[in-house]
């Protein structure tokens, strides 16, 4: 069973030696060249000796691209949240709050991912001038501690303080592709995908808005309201509910000084995407909101609620689908947000409720 | 540590190989290098795991030594029992408790035990040594090569199952002997073949398999879904396991060691006996020599043959996993082998194509039971394969399935490459290395995916 090569002449030995050297040469050369390319272009802006080029956000992989926005230290205020907060334009918020805003809300971000972003900001930049937390159902997820990341994965190595472990994660297609796009941007072949303050209009252009299609998107799969409702949850039952993410929110706000303006805003999803009144889900959400108000009170935060049935959320024409409002609505929300948080102004048409001034 | 991780390919293997060849002049030093590397490789998952194989190795070696000195069989029997007890405790205790509970209706506690990786493989190797001692076919080896025979990391986790007399004599051969470049070159090629099969095919097939088998727990699959699930899993299992074997054989060859063949394009088999001569060959050989033949084999009449075959294959199923679905899968193959044997004795061979179709349908049906979470799910998928869940749907990811089929049928086995690669053309080296770079970029996308056979 012992394998011994057949007796071979010197030329054959030399051939095999050349074969191995060629193999190792291409392998080491290929890996080295690609790795060097990634290090020099440095699309996540984590390598100290990378080329001094203008790094734009050329990928919509927000979890990978946004840490560099924080580390740039160009911004003193931030928005965290999910896609329901992504349309808040930082340039508008800058004017309204007299700050330098980055919108770091990420598509389908879990509460844990959002608190990781806030944590990175606090460690890197320090206390923000203004913090806007765009609240969604993820903060009221009763299993938020188990739902920490999504199928997209979360590059926690970009969010820690260890600059050395980053090098272990840079040799892969995703990074090579983004590095190539960045080179393409400088060659005029590729455009910036997300503005360097995190703002991106991820919904289609307004000119393509189709009310019939939007109506279908909003109501597709929405169950009719139940005809028989269970008795409402008792106070004891409500007390037993657990919202793991709220302890993260509490801890995050506790790290902010009183000089930081803290705004907790339930974002306006369409009524079709809100729990039907009287259902157990509505009970859970009501309890969650009450606890968030309580947390906000402890930390001097403003709490504003657009996640209610209102002229805004009942009107299909304001939405692309159940979760995502249109760009003009985003402008309105930003303006109302500033008015409510800075001047304590109540909603004129009942679109929001100022739960905590 | 996983063979297809960037760390293994770019750091661990080059570092160990460099150290190994740096001390290649000393048999003792290079064996210690491999033992040390193997302990690091195994302990990478959980350093506590190292205690188990090391304890079993030390105990087995001491009992073999006691046998050598006393001439009594008792230490060897004690060694076999000890190894079986270890395997039984870590792998089968909860299965036995659950089965007794089902039969008796008495609620029994469960042991809080983590299954140490590769336990079935290294335990079998130790048992084979002890049984060979009983048969007078195994010498006493010094401790170091004996330990290395079991621990050698390329085969430690998932085989090929190696016998002492296949490996220990190789340890004394200087790896720099004539043909060193040829062995390293072919080792690199075989490793890359396995790397590509794992990363580019097997793991991609898993993205079809997992959701469909999960869906089958909730509702009946339609015809397209059922065939997609079963074909994808059949290719995934072969490509995943043979990829592991190739990376193991390739790694060992870089150290100048040849591990035995494990697969020989099994999906080209035209009868079920042929299939088992091509599928997991090192396990088949082990079961043949240590179970099937002692049970009577084919020389004590037809009924004894059927009994030996069915019992051997039932235990083969149980070896794969502590669950009744695995046992039934093994018995299914046992009955298939016995039927095939009986048919062949009639002397009326089927046309090759008909034999291949029947064999593949038989094997596919077996894989359904092997993969399904329960008999209910397996039954549901088998019924869906004949349209009980609706005739709709279409094969998913056809291009991937075709690529997997071609790879399964056309890529030579590791030993076919060893024996057949005569021309060390530089273009082949460059293409192989480029493929390895491609795979390294692919595997860097996320955490490497475990090999299916690690659970066995």
């Amino acid at each position: 069973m012992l394998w011994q090569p057949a007796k071979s002449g010197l030329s054959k030995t030399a051939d095999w030696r050349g074969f191995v050297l060629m193999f190792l040469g291409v392998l080491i050369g290929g890996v080295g060249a690609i790795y060097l390319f990634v290090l020099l272009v440095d699309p996540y802006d984590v390598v100290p000796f990378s080329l001094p080029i203008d790094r734009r956000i050329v990928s919509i992989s927000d979890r990978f691209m946004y840490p560099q926005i924080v580390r740039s230290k160009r911004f003193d205020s931030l928005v965290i949240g999910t896609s329901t907060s992504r349309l808040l334009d930082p340039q508008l918020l800058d004017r309204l709050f007299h700050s330098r805003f980055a919108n770091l809300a990420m598509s389908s971000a879990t509460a844990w991912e959002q608190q990781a972003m806030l944590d990175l900001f606090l460690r890197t930049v320090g206390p923000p001038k203004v913090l806007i937390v765009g609240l969604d159902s993820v903060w009221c997820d009763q299993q938020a501690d188990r739902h920490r990341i999504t199928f997209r994965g979360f590059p926690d190595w970009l969010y820690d303080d260890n600059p050395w472990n980053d090098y272990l994660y840079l040799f892969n297609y995703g990074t090579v592709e983004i590095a190539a796009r960045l080179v393409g941007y400088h060659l005029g072949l590729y455009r910036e995908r997300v503005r360097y303050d995190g703002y991106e209009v991820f919904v289609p252009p307004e000119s393509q808005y189709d009310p019939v299609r939007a109506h279908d998107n909003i109501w597709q799969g929405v169950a009719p309201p139940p005809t028989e409702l269970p008795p409402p949850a008792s106070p004891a039952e409500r007390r037993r509910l657990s919202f793991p993410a709220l302890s993260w929110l509490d801890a995050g706000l506790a790290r902010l000084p009183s000089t930081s303006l803290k705004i907790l805003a339930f974002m306006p999803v369409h009524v079709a995407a809100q729990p039907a009144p009287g259902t157990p889900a509505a009970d859970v959400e009501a309890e969650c909101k009450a606890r968030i108000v309580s947390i906000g009170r402890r930390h001097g935060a403003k709490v504003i609620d657009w996640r209610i049935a209102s002229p805004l959320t009942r009107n299909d024409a304001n939405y692309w689908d159940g979760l995502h409002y249109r760009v003009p609505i985003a402008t309105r929300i930003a303006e109302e947000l500033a008015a409510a948080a800075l001047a304590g102004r109540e909603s004129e048409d009942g679109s929001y409720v100022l739960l905590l001034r | 540590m996983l063979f297809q991780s960037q760390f293994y390919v770019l750091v661990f293997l080059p570092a160990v190989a460099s150290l190994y060849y740096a001390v290649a002049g000393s048999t003792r030093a290079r064996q210690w290098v491999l033992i040390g590397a193997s302990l690091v490789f195994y302990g990478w998952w959980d350093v506590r795991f190292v205690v188990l194989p090391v304890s079993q190795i030390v105990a087995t070696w001491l009992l073999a030594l006691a046998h050598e000195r006393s001439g009594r069989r008792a230490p060897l029997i004690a060694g076999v029992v000890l190894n079986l007890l270890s395997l039984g405790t870590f792998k089968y205790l909860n299965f036995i408790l659950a089965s007794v509970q089902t039969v008796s209706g008495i609620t029994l506690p469960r042991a809080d035990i983590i299954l140490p990786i590769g336990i079935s493989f290294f335990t079998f190797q130790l048992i084979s040594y002890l049984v060979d001692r009983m048969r007078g076919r195994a010498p006493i080896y010094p401790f170091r090569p004996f330990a290395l025979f079991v621990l050698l990391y390329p085969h430690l986790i998932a085989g090929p199952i190696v016998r002492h007399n296949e490996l220990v004599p190789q340890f004394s051969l200087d790896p720099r002997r004539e043909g060193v470049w040829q062995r390293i070159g072919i080792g690199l090629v075989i490793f890359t073949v396995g790397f590509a099969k794992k990363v580019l095919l097997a793991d991609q097939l898993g993205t079809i398999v997992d959701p469909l088998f999960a869906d089958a727990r909730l509702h009946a699959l339609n015809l397209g879904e059922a065939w997609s699930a079963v074909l994808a899993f059949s290719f995934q299992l072969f490509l995943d396991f043979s990829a592991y074997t190739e990376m193991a054989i390739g790694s060992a060859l870089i150290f100048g060691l040849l591990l035995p063949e494990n697969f020989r394009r099994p999906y080209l088999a035209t009868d079920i006996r042929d299939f088992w001569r091509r599928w997991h060959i090192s396990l088949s050989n082990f079961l043949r020599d240590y179970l099937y033949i002692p049970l009577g084999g084919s020389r004590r009449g037809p009924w004894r043959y059927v009994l030996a075959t069915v019992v051997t294959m039932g235990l083969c199923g149980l070896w794969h996993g502590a669950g009744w679905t695995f046992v039934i899968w093994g018995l299914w193959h046992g009955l298939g082998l016995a039927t095939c044997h009986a048919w062949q004795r009639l002397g009326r061979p089927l046309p090759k194509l008909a034999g291949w179709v029947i064999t593949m349908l038989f094997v596919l049906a077996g894989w359904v039971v092997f993969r399904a979470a329960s008999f209910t799910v397996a039954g549901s998928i088998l019924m869906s394969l004949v349209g009980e869940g609706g005739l709709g749907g279409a094969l998913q990811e056809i291009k991937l399935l075709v690529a997997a089929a071609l790879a399964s049928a056309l890529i030579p086995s590791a030993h076919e490459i060893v024996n057949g690669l005569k021309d060390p053309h530089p273009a082949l080296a460059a293409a192989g290395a480029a493929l390895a770079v491609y795979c390294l970029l692919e595997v860097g996308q996320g955490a490497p995916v475990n090999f299916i056979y690690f659970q066995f």
Side-chain angles (χ1 to χ4, degrees):
Chain A
M1 187 72 207
L2 293 185
W3 177 65
Q4 291 278 21
K7 287 287 179 191
S8 52
L10 282 176
S11 63
K12 204 68 173 174
T13 302
D15 287 350
W16 277 109
R17 186 169 179 273
F19 182 90
V20 171
L21 293 178
M22 171 64 85
F23 192 106
L24 296 179
V26 173
L27 179 69
I28 295 167
V31 169
I34 293 168
Y35 196 46
L36 186 65
F37 169 72
V38 169
L39 291 179
L40 290 177
V41 177
D42 188 18
Y44 308 135
D45 204 4
V46 289
V47 181
F49 53 84
S50 58
L51 295 172
I53 56 173
D54 182 17
R55 289 190 169 73
R56 296 302 179 106
I57 307 299
V58 289
S59 165
I60 56 168
S61 298
D62 39 24
R63 288 154 177 80
F64 287 81
M65 304 309 290
Y66 285 4
Q68 63 186 294
I69 296 176
V70 175
R71 289 203 167 89
S72 73
K73 298 187 180 176
R74 295 184 204 170
F75 305 97
D76 62 11
S77 300
L78 75 158
V79 179
I80 58 173
T82 67
S83 56
T84 61
S85 307
R86 286 190 63 198
L87 291 176
L88 298 178
D89 186 344
Q91 291 179 352
L92 176 59
L93 294 173
D94 289 351
R95 288 198 296 278
L96 294 167
F97 288 91
H98 307 292
S99 300
R100 284 172 288 124
F101 260 95
N103 188 333
L104 304 173
M106 301 181 288
S107 297
S108 304
T110 66
W112 188 84
E113 290 173 327
Q114 294 179 46
Q115 68 83 32
M117 184 63 82
L118 174 60
D119 178 59
L120 176 68
F121 193 98
L122 292 172
R123 280 185 288 112
T124 311
V125 181
K129 190 174 169 190
V130 184
L131 164 69
I132 299 173
V133 182
L135 294 163
D136 271 306
S137 58
V138 292
W139 288 97
C140 299
D141 180 356
Q142 294 184 269
Q143 296 193 318
D145 50 346
R146 292 174 61 190
H147 301 158
R148 291 185 176 214
I149 60 172
T150 68
F151 69 92
R152 296 167 173 84
F154 186 78
D156 45 5
W157 49 276
L158 280 172
Y159 291 75
D160 63 20
D161 288 328
N162 180 356
W164 301 107
N165 63 351
D166 300 351
Y167 297 96
L168 298 175
Y169 299 96
L170 297 176
F171 190 77
N172 57 65
Y173 275 126
T175 307
V176 172
E177 187 190 338
I178 296 170
R181 285 186 195 179
L182 193 53
V183 172
Y185 168 80
H186 285 283
L187 295 175
L189 303 171
Y190 202 84
R191 66 183 172 85
E192 183 180 50
R193 293 299 302 270
V194 178
R195 216 166 62 199
Y196 201 83
D197 56 12
Y199 182 65
E200 181 207 5
V201 178
F202 64 91
V203 292
E206 279 292 307
S207 58
Q208 292 177 16
Y209 186 77
D210 176 352
V212 177
R213 199 164 159 196
H215 175 84
D216 290 346
N217 288 337
I218 291 165
W219 292 101
Q220 197 171 35
V222 175
T227 49
E228 284 187 32
L229 291 170
S234 67
E237 285 171 326
R238 283 189 167 206
R239 273 196 301 277
R240 278 199 295 275
L241 293 171
S242 167
F243 304 104
L246 297 190
S247 63
W248 306 332
L249 183 66
D250 195 13
L253 293 175
R255 294 167 66 188
L256 270 62
S258 57
T259 49
S260 293
L261 175 58
K262 304 150 205 131
I263 303 169
L264 309 180
F266 289 96
M267 300 313 286
V269 297
H270 193 281
V271 281
Q274 296 179 28
T279 60
D283 277 347
V284 170
E285 183 162 305
E287 177 63 17
C288 179
K289 282 184 177 178
R291 292 194 199 180
I292 287 174
V293 169
S294 171
I295 289 169
R297 185 173 292 116
R298 268 205 299 283
H299 300 291
K302 318 283 184 188
V303 183
I304 310 162
D305 189 4
W306 275 273
R307 193 179 163 88
I308 52 175
S310 72
L312 170 68
T313 59
R314 282 194 205 96
N315 185 354
D316 292 356
N318 290 333
Y319 289 86
W320 286 94
D321 57 40
L323 295 179
H324 302 115
Y325 45 77
R326 297 170 64 182
V327 172
I329 300 299
T331 305
R332 170 184 164 178
I333 291 164
E335 287 166 348
E336 289 182 347
L337 189 74
L342 298 175
R345 187 180 302 159
E346 298 283 0
S347 171
E348 290 170 4
D349 65 351
S351 291
Y352 66 86
V353 179
L354 196 47
L355 295 176
L356 203 59
R357 290 171 188 275
Chain B
M1 196 182 306
L2 293 168
F3 283 149
Q4 81 277 25
S5 64
Q6 290 183 347
F7 182 77
Y8 178 77
V9 177
L10 296 175
V11 180
F12 190 82
L13 180 60
V16 175
S18 301
L19 194 57
Y20 181 76
Y21 278 96
V23 301
S26 162
T27 305
R28 175 188 293 199
R30 64 173 186 263
Q31 289 180 3
W32 279 123
V33 166
L34 288 183
I35 289 173
S38 300
L39 291 174
V40 171
F41 185 87
Y42 191 74
W44 204 257
W45 279 277
D46 188 333
V47 74
R48 292 170 299 173
F49 282 0
V50 172
V51 176
L52 189 70
V54 169
S55 306
Q56 285 183 234
I57 289 165
V58 170
T60 302
W61 186 75
L62 288 174
L63 288 166
L65 202 63
H67 167 254
E68 177 76 5
R69 291 183 178 163
S70 69
R72 295 167 55 200
R73 284 166 64 92
L76 298 179
I77 294 168
V80 172
V81 170
L82 190 75
N83 279 294
L84 286 176
L85 271 178
S86 172
L87 184 62
T89 306
F90 284 97
K91 186 163 180 175
Y92 297 109
L93 184 58
N94 282 334
F95 167 66
I96 293 166
L97 289 170
S99 299
V100 171
Q101 181 174 310
T102 304
V103 173
S104 67
I106 302 166
T107 304
L108 296 169
R110 296 289 188 277
D112 186 18
I113 293 174
I114 301 169
L115 178 65
I117 200 160
I119 186 172
S120 308
F121 289 90
F122 62 74
T123 300
F124 264 33
Q125 294 199 176
L126 289 165
I127 290 172
S128 79
Y129 173 72
L130 291 165
V131 173
D132 281 359
R133 286 284 301 167
M134 288 182 203
R135 294 171 176 175
R137 293 180 194 161
I140 282 289
Y141 298 109
F143 179 73
R144 196 179 53 249
F146 178 76
L148 183 55
F149 140 66
V150 183
L151 285 174
L152 184 71
Y153 81 80
H155 74 68
L156 175 62
I157 310 298
I161 298 170
V162 189
R163 293 186 207 178
H164 55 94
N165 55 353
E166 290 176 316
L167 199 51
V168 176
Q170 297 191 58
F171 294 150
S172 56
L173 297 175
D174 189 330
R176 299 166 303 178
R177 65 189 182 277
E178 189 187 357
V180 56
W181 293 108
Q182 185 175 358
R183 282 188 293 277
I184 294 173
I186 294 176
L188 290 169
V189 170
I190 294 173
F191 185 91
T192 305
V193 167
F195 195 11
K197 280 164 69 174
K198 169 67 177 165
V199 173
L200 304 180
L201 293 172
D203 290 350
Q204 311 302 325
L205 288 163
T207 62
I208 306 177
V209 174
D210 295 343
L212 286 174
F213 271 86
D215 284 354
R217 298 168 80 158
L218 306 174
H219 60 81
L221 302 180
N222 65 36
L223 194 66
E225 290 171 333
W227 278 98
S228 300
V230 176
L231 287 173
F233 177 65
S234 302
F235 291 129
Q236 183 201 10
L237 186 64
F238 166 65
L239 292 167
D240 189 272
F241 193 15
S242 64
Y244 179 87
T245 300
E246 281 144 13
M247 284 189 265
I249 292 175
S251 297
L253 213 47
I254 289 169
F255 299 119
L257 305 168
L258 183 66
L259 299 179
E261 184 73 298
N262 225 12
F263 292 94
R264 212 176 290 130
R265 293 189 253 187
Y267 292 150
L268 297 182
T270 52
D271 66 62
I272 199 66
R273 296 177 80 195
D274 186 24
F275 177 80
W276 279 100
R277 284 191 288 268
R278 295 163 173 267
W279 179 273
H280 206 173
I281 298 164
S282 64
L283 177 68
S284 304
N285 290 347
F286 180 94
L287 293 171
R288 181 196 62 205
D289 295 345
Y290 298 101
L291 210 53
Y292 168 73
I293 291 175
L295 283 170
S298 61
R299 296 188 177 178
R300 295 195 192 173
W303 291 112
R304 188 62 178 263
Y305 164 78
V306 171
L307 183 71
T309 304
V310 171
V311 169
T312 300
M313 293 310 293
L315 289 170
C316 170
L318 191 59
W319 176 88
H320 279 84
W324 288 105
T325 50
F326 291 108
V327 177
I328 294 299
W329 168 79
L331 294 174
W332 168 253
H333 274 272
L335 291 171
L337 285 165
T339 308
C340 178
H341 183 73
W343 178 268
Q344 287 173 345
R345 285 172 70 91
L346 292 177
R348 297 171 62 185
L350 287 171
K352 289 276 185 201
L353 182 62
W356 177 78
V357 170
I358 292 169
T359 305
M360 289 305 109
L361 290 175
F362 182 88
V363 169
L364 292 186
W367 289 146
V368 172
V369 182
F370 188 91
R371 174 62 174 78
S374 67
F375 290 117
T376 311
V377 176
S380 167
I381 295 175
L382 287 169
M383 295 307 286
S384 295
L385 286 173
V386 293
E388 277 292 308
L391 297 175
L395 276 183
Q396 299 179 6
E397 303 284 351
I398 289 180
K399 284 181 189 167
L400 179 60
L401 289 175
V402 170
L406 291 174
S408 303
L410 300 179
I411 294 178
S413 72
H415 278 225
E416 284 172 339
I417 296 173
V418 167
N419 296 317
L421 185 56
K422 306 286 187 196
D423 182 18
H425 201 286
L428 176 65
L435 182 61
V437 173
Y438 187 86
C439 293
L440 281 166
L441 284 169
E442 178 69 31
V443 82
Q445 292 284 75
V449 181
N450 256 347
F451 289 91
I452 294 174
Y453 256 68
F454 278 17
Q455 62 188 294
F456 301 139

